[in-house]
C-alpha cells in the first residue's frame, strides 16, 4: 500500500514538473509583409473579393462575458440579414466587414467569425453561447487528473481555459489558419499588459517586438488572455525573444519616439511598443483581461484611424488608387450594464467590499465612455472638415480670380453607430438586459434576448437606417 | 487631426513616416506631430525628405512643403 502511495506521489511530482503553459514561438526571420497583418484586397474574380476597400466597416465588440458575446452575435446576424448593393455587386453588409476588434467576451464572437465565417450562424450558439463554460472550467479544475499539472508553477487555471477553448470551440486553430483564410475581416484580439497597464494586440505587428511568430499560437490562447478576468483566472505569459538580426524598428514607431514635445499620445503609443525591445528587463510578458485597458475594443481601431501607418488612415488618404475608402462605418457593440443603485438608499456608508468594487469599476466605466466619445469626435471632426472645405470653395467660386483651396486626398462619408442597452426602446427589456451578470453562463432565454437586442438596437439606430437606405439593392448607385 | 500639403510638379504618392499616405498637391489629413515627409519613387526630387512638425494647421491653412 505504502509503495503504491509513493509511486503515485512520484508520478504526480513528475507530471507537475512537466506541465507547462503553451509557449509562443520565436520569429525565424523578420518579414514586415508576412504573418497575421491586415490583409490587402486580392484583385481576382473569386467571390472573396466581394469585400471592397471603398465600403469599409469596422466593428468593436466589448467585454462582458457571454452577455457581450451574445450581443455581438446579434449584431453580426443583423448585418448578415442586411442586403446591400455596392459598386454593382449585391451582397450583405456582413460581407463588407473589414476589421473586428474584440475584448474578453466579445473576442470569442470575433475570433470565431474570423476563423469560421458564416458557419457561426449554424453552430456558435450550441458551441459557446448556450454552454456553461464556467461550469466546464470548474469541472476541469476539480478533476483530480488535472491536480498534478495545476501544482506546477508553470501551469494554471488559465491554461485549462485555453485547453477547453482550443478543444471545444476553436478546433486547435492557430493564427496561421487566420492568415490562410486570406480574407477579411481582420480580427484584433486585445489583452492588457499587466506591467504597463496598456492594451496588447494579438497581431504580428505587436509580436514583431517580442521577436515572436504569432502564427504558431492557438487562437484560443489569445482569447484566454483577453478574457483572463483578474483573480478568477491567472495571467497568460509570453516569452520576449531576442530579435532576428534583420529587424529594424518601423519608421512610424521610431518617429513616434521623437514626439514627446509634439504629440504625447503618439509618443506614448511608440514607447509602448519600444519597451518590449528591452529584452533583459522584460524577458517575459504577462497578460490579463483586455477590459482592464479598454473594455470597448475601440482603441485598437482608433489607433488604425489616427496613426500614419494605420490601415484605416492609409485608405482614408489614398487617392486615385483602387484601394481607398468612400464610406467608413464604425459599429460599437457595448454590452455594459448599469448596476443597481443600492448605495444611495441607505444612510449607512457602503461596506468595504462595495467600495472596493466601485473603486475597481468606476475608472474603467469612465474610460470606456471617453473611448466611445473620442471616436465619435474624430468622425464628427472629419465630417466638419470636409464641410468647411466645401463651403469655402463654394464661396471662392463667386470670385473667379481666386484659386480654390486644394482638395483633400479623398472625400469620405464617416458613420459612427454606438449600440448599448441604454438605448433599448422597451423599458422592461432594457432593465432586464442591464441586470444580466458578467459570466460565462447565461440562461438560454437571456442569450436569445441579447441576440434580439443586438439586432433590434442596430435596426433602431438612425445612422444604421440611413446607411441601409443608401445601400439597399434598389437604391440609386 | 492636422493637415499637410505637399507641393510637387506632378501627382506622386507622398510617404509619411515610411508609409504611403496620400498624394502630392492634395491635402493630407494626418495625426498631429513631428513627421518625416518624402515622395515615392522615382527619386528625382530634392530635398530627399523633410522632418517637420505638423501642428496648428487647418484644412484651409495646411502645413506646406515643396519638393523640386
Amino acid at each position: 500500500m505504502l509503495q503504491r502511495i509513493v509511486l503515485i506521489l512520484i508520478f504526480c511530482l513528475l507530471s507537475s514538473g512537466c506541465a507547462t503553459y503553451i509557449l509562443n514561438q520565436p520569429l525565424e526571420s523578420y518579414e514586415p509583409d508576412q504573418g497575421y497583418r491586415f490583409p490587402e484586397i486580392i484583385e481576382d474574380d473569386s467571390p472573396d473579393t466581394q469585400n471592397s476597400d471603398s465600403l469599409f466597416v469596422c466593428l468593436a465588440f466589448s467585454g462582458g462575458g457571454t452577455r457581450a458575446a451574445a450581443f455581438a452575435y446579434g449584431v453580426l446576424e443583423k448585418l448578415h440579414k442586411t442586403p446591400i448593393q455596392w459598386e454593382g455587386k449585391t451582397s450583405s453588409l456582413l460581407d463588407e466587414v473589414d476589421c473586428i476588434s474584440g475584448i474578453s467576451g466579445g473576442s470569442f464572437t470575433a475570433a470565431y467569425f474570423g476563423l469560421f465565417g458564416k458557419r457561426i450562424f449554424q453552430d456558435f450558439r450550441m458551441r459557446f453561447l448556450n454552454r456553461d463554460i464556467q461550469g466546464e472550467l470548474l469541472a476541469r479544475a476539480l478533476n483530480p487528473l488535472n491536480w498534478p499539472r495545476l501544482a506546477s508553477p508553470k501551469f494554471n487555471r488559465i491554461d485549462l481555459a485555453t485547453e477547453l477553448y482550443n478543444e471545444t470551440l476553436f478546433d486547435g486553430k492557430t493564427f496561421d489558419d487566420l492568415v490562410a483564410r486570406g480574407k477579411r475581416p481582420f480580427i484584433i484580439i486585445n489583452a492588457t499588459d499587466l506591467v504597463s497597464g496598456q492594451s496588447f494586440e494579438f497581431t504580428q505587428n505587436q509580436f514583431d517586438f517580442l521577436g515572436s511568430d504569432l502564427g504558431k499560437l492557438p487562437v484560443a490562447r489569445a482569447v484566454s488572455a483577453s478574457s483572463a478576468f483578474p483573480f478568477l483566472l491567472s495571467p497568460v505569459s509570453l516569452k520576449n525573444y531576442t530579435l532576428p538580426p534583420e529587424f529594424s524598428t518601423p519608421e512610424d514607431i521610431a518617429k513616434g519616439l521623437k514626439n514627446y514635445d509634439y504629440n504625447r499620445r503618439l509618443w506614448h503609443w511608440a514607447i509602448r511598443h519600444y519597451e518590449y525591445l528591452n529584452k533583459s528587463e522584460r524577458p517575459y510578458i504577462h497578460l490579463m483581461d483586455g477590459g482592464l485597458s479598454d473594455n470597448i475594443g475601440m482603441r485598437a481601431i482608433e489607433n488604425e484611424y489616427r496613426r500614419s501607418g494605420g490601415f484605416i488612415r492609409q485608405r482614408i488618404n489614398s487617392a486615385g488608387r483602387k484601394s481607398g475608402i468612400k464610406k467608413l462605418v464604425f459599429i460599437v457593440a457595448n454590452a455594459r450594464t448599469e448596476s443597481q443603485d443600492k448605495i444611495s438608499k441607505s444612510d449607512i456608508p457602503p461596506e468595504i467590499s462595495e467600495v472596493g468594487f466601485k473603486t475597481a469599476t468606476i475608472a474603467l466605466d469612465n474610460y470606456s465612455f471617453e473611448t466611445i466619445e473620442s471616436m465619435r469626435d474624430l468622425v464628427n471632426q472629419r465630417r466638419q472638415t470636409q464641410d468647411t472645405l466645401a463651403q469655402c470653395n463654394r464661396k471662392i467660386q463667386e470670385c473667379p480670380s481666386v484659386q480654390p483651396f486644394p482638395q483633400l486626398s479623398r472625400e469620405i462619408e464617416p458613420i459612427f453607430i454606438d449600440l448599448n442597452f441604454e438605448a433599448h426602446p422597451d423599458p422592461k427589456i432594457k432593465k432586464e438586459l442591464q441586470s444580466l451578470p458578467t459570466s460565462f453562463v447565461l440562461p438560454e432565454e437571456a442569450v436569445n434576448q441579447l441576440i434580439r437586442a443586438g439586432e433590434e438596437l442596430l435596426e433602431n439606430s438612425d445612422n444604421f437606417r440611413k446607411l441601409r437606405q443608401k445601400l439597399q439593392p434598389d437604391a440609386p448607385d | 487631426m492636422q493637415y499637410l500639403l505637399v507641393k510637387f510638379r506632378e501627382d506622386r504618392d507622398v510617404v509619411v513616416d515610411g508609409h504611403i499616405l496620400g498624394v502630392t498637391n492634395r491635402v493630407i489629413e494626418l495625426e498631429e506631430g513631428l513627421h518625416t515627409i518624402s515622395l515615392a519613387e522615382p527619386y528625382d526630387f530634392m530635398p530627399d525628405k523633410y522632418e517637420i512638425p505638423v501642428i496648428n494647421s487647418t484644412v484651409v491653412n495646411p502645413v506646406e512643403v515643396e519638393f523640386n
Side-chain angles (χ1 to χ4, degrees):
Chain A
M1 182 65 185
L2 186 65
Q3 201 176 13
R4 185 177 289 178
I5 292 171
V6 169
L7 278 173
I8 291 171
L9 276 173
I10 290 170
F11 169 76
C12 288
L13 284 169
L14 286 174
S15 308
S16 70
C18 294
T20 185
Y21 54 79
I22 295 171
L23 196 62
N24 56 311
Q25 295 302 302
L27 198 57
E28 287 176 11
S29 63
Y30 173 60
E31 293 172 68
D33 297 328
Q34 299 294 310
Y36 190 59
R37 302 176 210 270
F38 187 78
E40 295 291 332
I41 294 283
I42 302 162
E43 299 290 342
D44 60 22
D45 295 322
S46 76
D48 291 348
T49 57
Q50 280 178 347
N51 193 334
S52 68
D53 258 348
S54 50
L55 175 55
F56 204 91
V57 182
C58 281
L59 314 178
F61 292 164
S62 80
T66 299
R67 185 183 73 238
F71 187 48
Y73 176 88
V75 171
L76 288 182
E77 204 163 64
K78 180 67 189 174
L79 295 175
H80 183 43
K81 291 175 187 168
T82 304
I84 62 161
Q85 185 152 1
W86 182 249
E87 295 181 336
K89 287 178 186 168
T90 305
S91 57
S92 80
L93 196 47
L94 188 65
D95 293 319
E96 286 289 350
V97 173
D98 297 278
C99 72
I100 307 178
S101 171
I103 301 279
S104 196
S107 75
F108 283 87
T109 312
Y112 200 85
F113 181 61
L115 281 169
F116 303 112
K118 289 176 188 169
R119 191 183 119 184
I120 195 170
F121 302 119
Q122 291 158 21
D123 59 11
F124 190 62
R125 285 178 187 234
M126 180 260 294
R127 294 191 81 189
F128 183 74
L129 296 177
N130 291 332
R131 266 173 64 192
D132 179 359
I133 298 289
Q134 264 177 221
E136 291 177 42
L137 270 174
L138 187 65
R140 289 199 178 205
L142 295 177
N143 184 343
L145 289 174
N146 286 322
W147 292 353
R149 295 199 297 161
L150 287 170
S152 163
K154 287 192 173 182
F155 194 89
N156 220 313
R157 298 182 301 284
I158 195 69
D159 304 299
L160 288 179
T162 301
E163 284 180 355
L164 178 69
Y165 308 151
N166 202 32
E167 291 163 14
T168 65
L169 186 61
F170 296 114
D171 300 339
K173 301 278 186 194
T174 65
F175 280 88
D176 271 344
D177 291 305
L178 278 172
V179 176
R181 278 177 70 84
K183 60 196 285 188
R184 301 176 189 174
F186 183 61
I187 309 297
I188 308 173
I189 299 170
N190 303 273
T192 301
D193 184 321
L194 207 49
V195 171
S196 69
Q198 297 301 310
S199 175
F200 182 97
E201 294 166 15
F202 281 82
T203 63
Q204 190 53 51
N205 283 350
Q206 178 96 62
F207 269 61
D208 284 343
F209 285 80
L210 305 187
S212 181
D213 182 359
L214 175 63
K216 306 284 187 293
L217 198 73
V219 172
R221 193 65 176 157
V223 172
S224 302
S226 186
S227 56
F229 196 75
F231 305 112
L232 289 180
L233 291 165
S234 42
V236 162
S237 301
L238 298 175
K239 190 169 180 183
N240 190 4
Y241 291 97
T242 305
L243 296 165
E246 65 276 17
F247 176 85
S248 63
T249 307
E251 199 176 331
D252 52 349
I253 289 175
K255 187 56 64 185
L257 295 172
K258 292 185 177 180
N259 263 285
Y260 184 83
D261 290 330
Y262 300 101
N263 181 346
R264 203 62 64 84
R265 189 184 273 134
L266 176 57
W267 173 82
H268 192 256
W269 170 80
I271 280 286
R272 199 189 83 195
H273 285 81
Y274 202 70
E275 281 172 350
Y276 293 119
L277 301 183
N278 191 347
K279 306 292 173 179
S280 58
E281 280 295 312
R282 303 199 64 190
Y284 292 94
I285 310 298
H286 305 285
L287 305 172
M288 288 222 74
D289 194 311
L292 298 176
S293 55
D294 164 22
N295 202 32
I296 302 300
M298 204 67 219
R299 293 279 170 178
I301 295 173
E302 187 183 327
N303 284 339
E304 299 298 337
Y305 181 90
R306 283 184 185 274
R307 302 285 114 80
S308 51
F311 58 75
I312 300 175
R313 174 55 43 197
Q314 289 172 3
R315 283 162 178 80
I316 287 175
N317 280 332
S318 83
R321 297 158 69 206
K322 274 189 176 175
S323 58
I325 294 172
K326 291 179 185 168
K327 268 189 211 299
L328 177 59
V329 183
F330 298 115
I331 302 176
V332 182
N334 180 9
R336 178 180 179 270
T337 52
E338 198 72 54
S339 59
Q340 300 291 316
D341 176 16
K342 293 172 188 161
I343 296 175
S344 306
K345 293 187 172 69
S346 171
D347 63 345
I348 300 166
E351 289 177 11
I352 193 159
S353 58
E354 186 79 25
V355 173
F357 178 75
K358 286 284 178 192
T359 308
T361 56
I362 284 173
L364 272 177
D365 283 347
N366 287 340
Y367 187 67
S368 294
F369 176 77
E370 283 303 324
T371 296
I372 293 172
E373 294 314 305
S374 168
M375 198 64 223
R376 196 195 308 273
D377 288 346
L378 280 171
V379 164
N380 289 339
Q381 189 200 4
R382 173 69 189 204
R383 198 177 291 121
Q384 284 164 9
T385 295
Q386 292 178 170
D387 289 350
T388 302
L389 185 60
Q391 281 174 17
C392 287
N393 277 335
R394 269 200 299 274
K395 285 279 177 198
I396 283 174
Q397 275 180 349
E398 293 167 13
C399 309
S401 60
V402 181
Q403 284 284 312
F405 292 109
Q407 293 294 318
L408 281 158
S409 286
R410 178 175 282 276
E411 192 150 313
I412 64 165
E413 185 186 356
I415 297 155
F416 187 77
I417 299 167
D418 167 26
L419 308 173
N420 59 69
F421 301 152
E422 188 64 38
H424 203 288
D426 185 324
K428 183 172 169 283
I429 295 175
K430 178 170 127 181
K431 196 175 175 187
E432 285 169 3
L433 291 169
Q434 289 194 322
S435 62
L436 289 171
T438 299
S439 78
F440 279 113
V441 55
L442 283 178
E444 195 172 333
E445 183 43 43
V447 168
N448 292 338
Q449 191 176 47
L450 283 157
I451 294 169
R452 279 197 303 274
E455 296 188 39
E456 286 164 4
L457 285 167
L458 195 52
E459 177 68 39
N460 290 339
S461 156
D462 275 349
N463 284 346
F464 180 73
R465 279 207 291 253
K466 285 177 197 161
L467 173 69
R468 194 178 55 182
Q469 205 168 10
K470 286 178 187 169
L471 296 174
Q472 64 190 1
D474 52 351
D477 205 352
Chain B
M1 301 302 286
Q2 299 293 316
Y3 302 91
L4 169 73
L5 180 63
V6 181
K7 292 183 171 174
F8 190 53
R9 58 182 174 268
E10 62 184 42
D11 287 350
R12 180 80 60 89
D13 282 339
V14 174
V15 179
V16 179
D17 305 334
H19 297 279
I20 291 177
L21 204 72
V23 290
T24 53
N25 308 314
R26 282 190 173 226
V27 177
I28 296 168
E29 186 185 59
L30 78 172
E31 189 173 20
E32 180 176 45
L34 184 71
H35 295 286
T36 302
I37 317 293
S38 186
L39 299 181
E41 292 178 343
Y43 297 116
D44 56 353
F45 52 86
M46 290 282 285
D48 61 340
K49 64 181 177 184
Y50 288 93
E51 188 178 65
I52 53 158
V54 182
I55 52 175
N56 300 326
S57 65
T58 66
V59 69
V60 292
N61 187 23
V63 171
E64 291 188 16
V65 296
E66 186 162 8
F67 289 92
N68 298 304

